[in-house]
Amino acid sequence: MKNNINIDIALTHIFTRKKQTFVAALGVTIGVGIYLFMNSLDKGFSRYSMDEIFKNNAHIKIYKNDEISKPLTTEDSSSLRVIINPQITTLSKKIINPEALLATVKSQSFVTNAIAQVNFDAFYNRGKAQIKGSGNGVNMTEYAQMFNTNKYMVAGKTEALQGNLNGIIIGSGISEKLNLGLNDNITVTSSFGVVKVMKIVGIFTTGSSMNDNAKSYVNISTAQQFIKEGPAFVSTLFINTLDANNPEPFVQKLQQLTSYTVEDWKTTNADVLAGNKTREAMMGAISMAILIVAGFGIYNILSSTIMQKINDIAILKATGFNGSDVVKIFVLEAIIMGAIGTMMGLIFGSVLIGIMSNVYMGGPVGYFPIGFELPLFIRSFVLGMVITICAGYFPARKAAKVDPVEIFRK
Amino acid sequence: MNTMMQKSPIGGKRAIVLSTNGIGKYFFDPVKFKALDDVSFEAYEGEFLTLVGKSGSGKSTLLYCLSTMDTAYEGDIYIKGEKITGKKSDELAAIRNENIGFVFQFHYLLPEFSCLKNVMIPARKLGKYSYDEIESRAYEKLKMLGLQEQALKPASKLSGGQQQRVAIARALINNPAILMGDEPTGNLDSKNSAIVFDIFKEIAHEFGQTIIAVTHDNDFAKASDRTIELADGRIVNLDKSDF
Ligand SMILES: Nc1ncnc2c1ncn2[C@@H]1O[C@H](COP(=O)(O)OP(=O)(O)OP(=O)(O)O)[C@@H](O)[C@H]1O
Ligand SMILES: [Mg+2]
């Protein structure tokens, strides 16, 4: 207070007009609070849907895509054309020499983990009841590491499958529908007619019925028996990389190593990602609009302060304050109101987040997927301050342009 | 210019503090109108100068040109020998801060501040002295104007005469070379007018500061050192003896 007269004047205006200060700050509080809350909500949702995606997807997968027959044509347009009906010509979804490919993939510096999987169509039977699903032959230890399967186990352990060629881990939906529990026997039939009676060594529940009602895990060699193939048969390679968010360059590098289809999780889940983006844009726009409205609150209150203080501004300019002093005084007032409002807004937003994170949604979601994200707090603070400074600057500029002569003549 | 000496009307050699050379001023709204026409005069150190004239004769208009706040005029103005015409607004603000004090018909005190703090404002802007030094100087000024009892009261809690004296203290805080007043006693009763008049006289004659005051009060003008009379924007009389 003792040092700078501009600061002294600004603080005096703020303190002698507590009600206006509070109202202006309150607008910012609501704006920043809602901005923080909505964006945390959005972030929580995105994180949740990412988690859902990575339950079933590695960063990159390599598989053999269906081949379509190509019409036979020649470059020469005058010659005869052979038109044929394009057809899928895939004979087998097998990856040839998977061991070598897996080894090459693993040797890439950006690859953190890579595993092989054998897929087969499975029918789970108990008496007359039958459920159609899909079996996955995997090295369960490596698989659990990549997909966090241990987190979803509700009975038994993933390790129990290791080396147990007769063991199977099934989804909770299958277990419920067939009324089968841990250590019970289940009859599994493949589309190739292979029938096996297997022992349930684990049950998982991921929250998505698509998985829980259909999926099961067995050892790779068991899966190969189900499709009547030898140990060289592998249908998919799953690969995790250093950076899940930017798989594209890794895809390009891997594609140079193999002629099979290399696909990242973004391509596989393009629909989910597009949905996320739309939601992000909408939430962002709405919350930003609320924040800007708060800025107008500051603008209004500062403008009216300036109208009321026009005599003070005139005498200050007469006694030697220049335009930039006047701008500083009123921008400082905006900053103080904005800082109070932004701080209260962060608290308000935190309270909303706290309440929301305790709301139980039920189903696979459980508690509302929302949390405290430091980057969002920083962004809300910065935006709150930037908007109030802008909202303060324009009336302050107007105040700086007050012509004292015009005031004194009145 | 600083060294230029001239015989002042009240005798002795005195330095010129302010001089004008052919000031002209137009207003364009609602019609083009010449409010000042070829106004040239000098004001000397320690001189109590009054500007008189009928309503609308251009007194205030001239004073605002002299004050450096109005820059839209023809001709030149010099303060302490330095030409201020054509300077940038920030430079003019600094010149006002250091060299010119203002007293208006209305006091223009900041209502939220105490009298003492109001008086301190121009000095804190000048930034030449520490806060504590400025505070004791401001207190001295208030004491000189008989306001020591009121120093810590909010400016809005004083009588009209007291407020005007606080405004004078504020105008004097930086010991400006020139004190300008536009009808500084216009709102005061005769008793308070007399107090302000005595203060002005003391400032001019004991501290050597120049006073340029616009007034309607004939007694006030007559008792000053010199009177300049304006009519229709022109100087019609430069000497008080003819007033
Ligand atoms: N902003 C303005 N726009 C147009 N004309 C103006 C403006 N200000 C002053 N005038 C005109 O200039 C002339 C001089 O005005 P000024 O205020 O200087 O008179 P004055 O001598 O101070 O009068 P008073 O004694 O009533 O205060 C008047 O005719 C007035 O109408
Ligand atoms: Mg006037």
Side-chain angles (χ1 to χ4, degrees), chain B residues 28 42 50-51 63 67 81 106 125 139 152 185 192 203 208 217 222 239:
Chain B
F28 297 95
E42 284 99 29
T50 45
L51 292 176
L63 195 75
S67 78
F106 179 68
K125 172 60 198 164
Y139 194 73
L152 298 177
T185 59
N192 275 306
I203 294 163
D217 183 340
K222 269 187 191 135
D239 196 334

Side-chain angles (χ1 to χ4, degrees), chain B:
Chain B
M1 268 284 202
N2 243 341
T3 52
M4 190 172 136
M5 296 292 192
Q6 202 167 324
K7 197 179 175 333
S8 93
I10 53 167
K13 296 255 180 189
R14 292 191 185 214
I16 295 174
V17 169
L18 180 146
S19 67
T20 71
N21 184 15
I23 299 292
K25 164 95 190 165
Y26 289 93
F27 287 112
F28 297 95
D29 196 34
V31 289
K32 189 172 174 183
F33 168 73
K34 191 154 197 177
L36 293 175
D37 188 7
D38 195 24
V39 174
S40 304
F41 72 97
E42 284 99 29
Y44 300 90
E45 192 185 336
E47 183 180 34
F48 184 175
L49 185 67
T50 45
L51 292 176
V52 297
K54 287 203 192 77
S55 180
S57 58
K59 306 181 294 291
S60 298
T61 305
L62 175 60
L63 195 75
Y64 291 127
C65 290
L66 301 180
S67 78
T68 78
M69 288 190 276
D70 189 346
T71 51
Y73 56 82
E74 296 169 345
D76 303 315
I77 297 175
Y78 297 84
I79 290 178
K80 296 208 294 195
E82 187 185 1
K83 183 175 169 180
I84 55 126
T85 306
K87 281 192 187 291
K88 291 199 196 84
S89 74
D90 282 6
E91 291 174 287
L92 293 176
I95 289 170
R96 283 200 295 279
N97 185 231
E98 201 175 346
N99 298 304
I100 308 175
F102 293 101
V103 186
F104 302 93
Q105 196 167 350
F106 179 68
H107 57 76
Y108 290 107
L109 296 171
L110 271 50
E112 303 92 347
F113 284 85
S114 69
C115 296
L116 191 66
K117 282 200 146 197
N118 263 291
V119 174
M120 290 166 72
I121 289 171
R124 291 176 68 187
K125 172 60 198 164
L126 185 63
K128 216 161 149 184
Y129 302 101
S130 76
Y131 184 92
D132 293 334
E133 259 175 275
I134 292 168
E135 193 169 47
S136 70
R137 277 162 182 267
Y139 194 73
E140 284 305 310
K141 296 287 181 210
L142 284 173
K143 208 166 154 187
M144 184 182 101
L145 296 168
L147 289 164
Q148 63 269 45
E149 311 288 313
Q150 325 294 335
L152 298 177
K153 282 190 189 170
S156 51
K157 294 275 154 61
L158 268 60
S159 76
Q162 289 172 324
Q163 285 173 332
Q164 198 63 340
R165 277 184 279 155
V166 175
I168 294 170
R170 179 181 60 194
L172 294 175
I173 187 68
N174 284 344
N175 292 322
I178 309 164
L179 182 69
M180 294 187 185
D182 192 354
E183 303 188 32
T185 59
N187 273 340
L188 301 178
D189 58 19
S190 54
K191 192 174 146 251
N192 275 306
S193 294
I195 293 172
V196 168
F197 182 82
D198 289 341
I199 294 164
F200 279 12
K201 203 143 199 178
E202 189 186 340
I203 294 163
H205 296 163
E206 281 174 34
F207 302 106
Q209 286 160 289
T210 304
I211 293 181
I212 303 174
V214 169
T215 185
H216 269 132
D217 183 340
N218 277 344
D219 298 334
F220 192 98
K222 269 187 191 135
S224 69
D225 295 339
R226 186 162 61 116
T227 300
I228 292 173
E229 191 183 353
L230 288 179
D232 297 326
R234 293 173 150 273
I235 295 183
V236 292
N237 207 329
L238 256 170
D239 196 334
K240 71 176 268 179
S241 49
D242 300 318
F243 177 64

Side-chain angles (χ1 to χ4, degrees), chain A residues 337-369:
Chain A
M337 292 190 277
I340 295 171
T342 304
M343 285 305 171
M344 295 199 303
L346 294 183
I347 294 169
F348 174 54
S350 301
V351 169
L352 291 181
I353 293 170
I355 292 170
M356 207 60 191
S357 66
N358 281 313
V359 171
Y360 190 73
M361 305 292 286
V365 182
Y367 284 98
F368 208 91

